[in-house]
Amino acid sequence: MGVELGAQAARSRALAVLRIRSRALAVALLPAAVAVVLFAGGATGHITGGVWPVTRWVVVVAAAVVLCCAAGIALVVARARPATSPTVPIAEESAPDLYRMVRDLADRLDVPAPSAIALTPDCDSWLEDRTHRSHGPPPSPERTGRAEGLSGISGGIRSGVSGATTPGRRGEPTAPVLVIGSPFLWWMRVGELRAVLAPVIAGTGPSAHPDIAAARRFVRGLDAAVAVTTAPTHGPLARTTLAGVGWVARLLLRGCRGHAAEMERGVAAAAAERAQAVDYGLRIVAQEQVGLAYAGWDRLLTRVALPAWRMGRWPSRLDAGVVAALTELSRRDRLAEGFASRLGERPACDLLEEPGAVDEAASLLAARLFHGGPAESGPDWAPVDWREYPDEVVDRKWRTDAARLHRVLDSLGVRHTADTGGMANTGEPEPGGPTLARVLDHLTVRGPTVRGGTVGCVEPGTGLGGEGGGEGLAGRERADGGRPARGAGGERETVGGEPVGDSGTAGTEPSATAEAPTPEATTPPEAATVKATTAKPGNPGAESLRESAADDARPVVPRGAESADAALGEELGEELGLGSERAAALAAGLSAEVAREEASAGTTTVPGGTAEPQGPDLALWDDMPPFFPLQPPRTGRELLTDHVTAMVCCAAMDTAGAAPGLDWLDGPSLLINGKRAVDLAPRVLTLVEDGDPDPLRDWLRHLGVRPEKPVRLV
């Protein structure tokens, strides 16, 4: 009875959508009908004389115009390519067991079997109609059969983007494509996957009803027509013409919106009710695995995959990494102890003939969806195995960040500290080389002193105050005379002793803070460039930085500041929760440097993501931005913290025998004597936010790290 009620509700809503389509057609035909009546009346002598002949021809012209407009709108709606989800198609010969399980499940549910199966790099499953003729012909075995081979990765992804399916015979309705989340195949067992897919496959029954299928095609056509009319590739004349088409399509969509939503709810209710007869008890357990797989997948992407993507490397076994991450979680979390016992059962990925190659194809698609990048591997976009991750990603990331940090210090005119030793790996002295001591001295804030009527701090000598040693404002002191107060957002959430935000984000916008209060005569050319590009009034980067610090305490700029630059540096330093204006200037330089590097590489993204490319032009897919950026851009404080941490790790590896490592839940990690260092992040935050180096120096001294020795950079 439940299935019948849900299906009938969906059909009634589908008929309501079709009635809206019929009314639109009637409105388009109404002037023509009036013209026919007028001509018929004139021919029979009932409507003659007076103004009727003129009226008759006016109505004919109006009817012709309306019919032409209606035909144009119908043509745009019919030819517009409905959006399809980027997926990796799975040919039946590459997964016969999976197809057999899906068909057996469809037989038990007494519904049509899906026409094809595809994988998506996300934790979700759904049915997708790809019967539109613009989606192209069915893929040949040569195109889809190579999804399990390295050379077929890009071709498989392109086939999935174009929406190629296997339609039925001419005149027969084609069932939708079953899209399965690839993490489900690797983490779930066969029985669990079957239970999760049961309500999804049950949806093919209502989808086969002619009224529901027609209503869906109408709504999808209107949606695609709106996308076509808003495409920026059209000329002025085409945009003007399509503006009317877009207005009509939006008007019809608003009328259909409520009925279409209720129709889909009815279809879902009918499918869920029908699927209750299949593995009902196992479905409850399987839903727990869905939530766990989503948590592990999200953690793996943001903590592990994102640093590799930023380095131009994409992990080739992301789905296998989900299993490792969730297994590690089950080891650490007492609540997840029961999940480890199920690993002895047959995993769902055994239903694939070549799971490794399919995992690689899904991993490349995930990199393109969440980060953007080329469709094929190359010198600057190469796959990386998990065994190579520490050396190829972690070590390279830390040394690249450390090199960037010292480049910004050079641009700010910060002098090199005198080192008393040489490189740890060569033993050759390199005076003036990059050292951790240089960073520590630059960020250190000393005791309070009064300058120019304001309370400042005397800091170690750097190029900010001249060659021999300088002074700078470090923000107002607290009433008790202690170190500068942090902003309201100064504390960061930690997991396992490490900051949650350390893994980075999907993109970085140019941020800006104040430049150092250095006279122009002593400012090097690089520093002048940083000033001109990052701290100029009205710079969008500065506005972005201010918005990113909206949650922090809003400072009041001291009226007694010696210059506008110093006042801006102090204000931004307090907004970001940094210990001094020097830290703010350094954070600004890092933000600008990262933004320039990403802009030159063509990977800079806009927060919030971009819309999926519409229309048949797949060239947009060849060099696309990410559809779903993982995180918003990093703030200046986060960038500075990451770069200082990278410099500390480089010094520990070069002078104390530490090694880069991979933690499945927290990403890049520093290994000391084979154990992960979990107490480094709070000490780095104390240095960055308070200007206090003592906790970090004690940590370095305990491990035998030599901050005065130069380190190897890239």
Side-chain angles (χ1 to χ4, degrees):
M1 180 62 67
V3 174
E4 189 66 24
L5 289 177
Q8 287 188 357
R11 292 168 189 168
S12 64
R13 294 293 181 171
L15 290 175
V17 172
L18 295 179
R19 281 195 294 270
I20 293 176
R21 185 185 66 177
S22 300
R23 291 168 187 166
L25 179 62
V27 170
L29 295 177
L30 181 61
V34 173
V36 171
V37 171
L38 292 178
F39 271 98
T44 59
H46 293 83
I47 305 178
T48 58
V51 298
W52 287 112
V54 177
T55 304
R56 187 180 302 118
W57 288 108
V58 170
V59 173
V60 168
V61 173
V65 172
V66 172
L67 287 178
C68 290
C69 293
I73 295 173
L75 183 63
V76 172
V77 173
R79 293 180 61 87
R81 181 181 183 273
T84 57
S85 303
T87 55
V88 177
I90 303 298
E92 184 172 359
E93 54 268 22
S94 64
D97 292 341
L98 180 60
Y99 273 83
R100 190 178 301 111
M101 184 194 75
V102 169
R103 286 168 181 158
D104 177 69
L105 193 56
D107 290 340
R108 288 191 57 184
L109 295 171
D110 194 22
V111 295
S115 60
I117 299 176
L119 297 185
T120 177
D122 199 1
C123 293
D124 198 1
S125 297
W126 66 89
L127 293 172
E128 188 164 287
D129 187 358
R130 296 179 178 178
T131 58
H132 195 273
R133 57 178 175 271
S134 65
H135 290 155
S140 61
E142 290 78 9
R143 292 181 61 192
T144 57
R146 295 184 64 84
E148 65 270 20
L150 294 178
S151 60
I153 294 177
S154 60
I157 294 179
R158 290 178 182 272
S159 299
V161 174
S162 63
T165 62
T166 305
R169 296 184 179 91
R170 184 179 299 274
E172 294 182 2
T174 302
V177 175
L178 174 63
V179 182
I180 306 175
S182 61
F184 293 164
L185 284 176
W186 269 259
W187 174 245
M188 290 185 174
R189 310 298 99 178
V190 174
E192 295 169 349
L193 179 66
R194 179 186 178 92
V196 168
L197 294 181
V200 181
I201 297 175
T204 60
S207 299
H209 192 275
D211 294 336
I212 295 178
R216 284 178 168 176
R217 285 195 301 269
F218 179 61
V219 173
R220 284 198 304 271
L222 293 176
D223 181 72
V226 171
V228 169
T229 58
T230 57
T233 57
H234 302 299
L237 180 60
R239 283 198 301 268
T240 303
T241 304
L242 292 175
V245 178
W247 181 83
V248 174
R250 292 187 183 91
L251 180 64
L252 293 176
L253 274 178
R254 284 194 294 268
C256 298
R257 183 181 304 164
H259 297 299
E262 293 299 327
M263 177 184 68
E264 298 300 336
R265 290 192 184 97
V267 171
E273 189 71 21
R274 182 183 293 269
Q276 285 186 356
V278 179
D279 301 332
Y280 179 75
L282 190 57
R283 286 175 57 194
I284 300 176
V285 179
Q287 289 302 320
E288 298 178 358
Q289 303 305 318
V290 170
L292 191 63
Y294 183 85
W297 179 249
D298 180 73
R299 189 101 174 194
L300 187 75
L301 292 182
T302 56
R303 302 296 183 86
V304 179
L306 190 57
W309 293 340
R310 287 185 177 141
M311 298 304 299
R313 308 295 298 272
W314 52 278
S316 58
R317 295 292 186 271
L318 278 180
D319 292 308
V322 172
V323 179
L326 293 178
T327 304
E328 178 67 14
L329 178 64
S330 67
R331 185 184 65 84
R332 297 184 188 180
D333 193 351
R334 294 179 180 179
L335 298 177
E337 289 179 355
F339 296 131
S341 60
R342 46 184 291 284
L343 297 180
E345 303 175 11
R346 186 191 182 193
C349 63
D350 282 355
L351 299 174
L352 304 173
E353 291 294 318
E354 296 289 343
V358 175
D359 191 2
E360 186 167 354
S363 300
L364 178 57
L365 182 56
R368 305 199 66 203
L369 288 176
F370 300 111
H371 184 71
E376 299 178 356
S377 299
D380 298 328
W381 188 244
V384 59
D385 191 75
W386 291 125
R387 292 171 295 183
E388 303 170 352
Y389 187 93
D391 294 330
E392 296 292 332
V393 175
V394 180
D395 182 85
R396 182 183 169 195
K397 173 185 181 298
W398 285 342
R399 298 191 187 278
T400 301
D401 289 350
R404 185 184 300 113
L405 177 63
H406 282 278
R407 285 199 305 271
V408 175
L409 289 175
D410 291 339
S411 69
L412 295 176
V414 180
R415 67 179 179 86
H416 287 267
T417 57
D419 54 273
T420 59
M423 291 287 293
N425 57 344
T426 63
E428 298 179 1
E430 292 186 7
T435 62
L436 177 60
R438 182 193 190 195
V439 179
L440 296 177
D441 291 343
H442 179 69
L443 296 176
T444 298
V445 177
R446 299 304 182 191
T449 182
V450 178
R451 298 182 59 219
T454 62
V455 178
C457 293
V458 178
E459 305 184 20
T462 66
L464 292 176
E467 182 64 22
E471 296 178 351
L473 295 175
R476 297 189 306 278
E477 298 292 318
R478 293 182 302 191
D480 58 358
R483 61 171 62 108
R486 297 184 184 182
E491 297 295 334
R492 301 176 67 184
E493 181 184 358
T494 60
V495 177
E498 296 191 358
V500 170
D502 285 348
S503 61
T505 58
T508 302
E509 290 290 322
S511 300
T513 62
E515 59 275 354
T518 307
E520 292 296 333
T522 60
T523 302
E526 296 84 358
T529 302
V530 174
K531 290 183 182 182
T533 57
T534 63
K536 185 168 60 177
N539 184 6
E543 297 298 326
S544 175
L545 180 64
R546 294 176 184 273
E547 293 175 2
S548 67
D551 294 335
D552 295 341
R554 290 292 180 183
V556 178
V557 180
R559 295 184 179 180
E562 292 183 346
S563 65
D565 289 343
L568 182 58
E570 180 177 354
E571 177 188 359
L572 294 175
E574 291 187 7
E575 284 184 353
L576 292 174
L578 299 175
S580 67
E581 65 196 37
R582 293 183 175 182
L586 185 55
L590 289 173
S591 299
E593 182 73 11
V594 170
R596 282 193 293 268
E597 292 177 3
E598 293 190 346
S600 62
T603 58
T604 303
T605 59
V606 178
T610 58
E612 179 179 352
Q614 302 290 339
D617 187 8
L618 295 181
L620 295 175
W621 172 258
D622 293 334
D623 188 18
M624 68 164 202
F627 289 170
F628 314 106
L630 296 180
Q631 293 176 343
R634 288 173 289 182
T635 63
R637 180 179 61 181
E638 291 174 338
L639 280 174
L640 181 57
T641 302
D642 291 345
H643 284 71
V644 173
T645 301
M647 186 62 201
V648 173
C649 293
C650 291
M653 290 188 297
D654 289 348
T655 66
L662 168 62
D663 186 90
W664 290 110
L665 298 177
D666 294 326
S669 301
L670 182 66
L671 301 181
I672 301 175
N673 296 326
K675 296 182 179 180
R676 187 167 66 99
V678 297
D679 53 351
L680 173 59
R683 291 165 170 79
V684 173
L685 286 175
T686 302
L687 171 65
V688 170
E689 297 178 354
D690 296 341
D692 182 8
D694 293 338
L696 182 57
R697 288 187 182 275
D698 293 341
W699 186 85
L700 297 172
R701 189 180 306 110
H702 175 71
L703 297 177
V705 179
R706 302 283 301 276
E708 74 281 0
K709 296 176 73 67
V711 299
R712 177 174 57 87
L713 304 178
V714 295

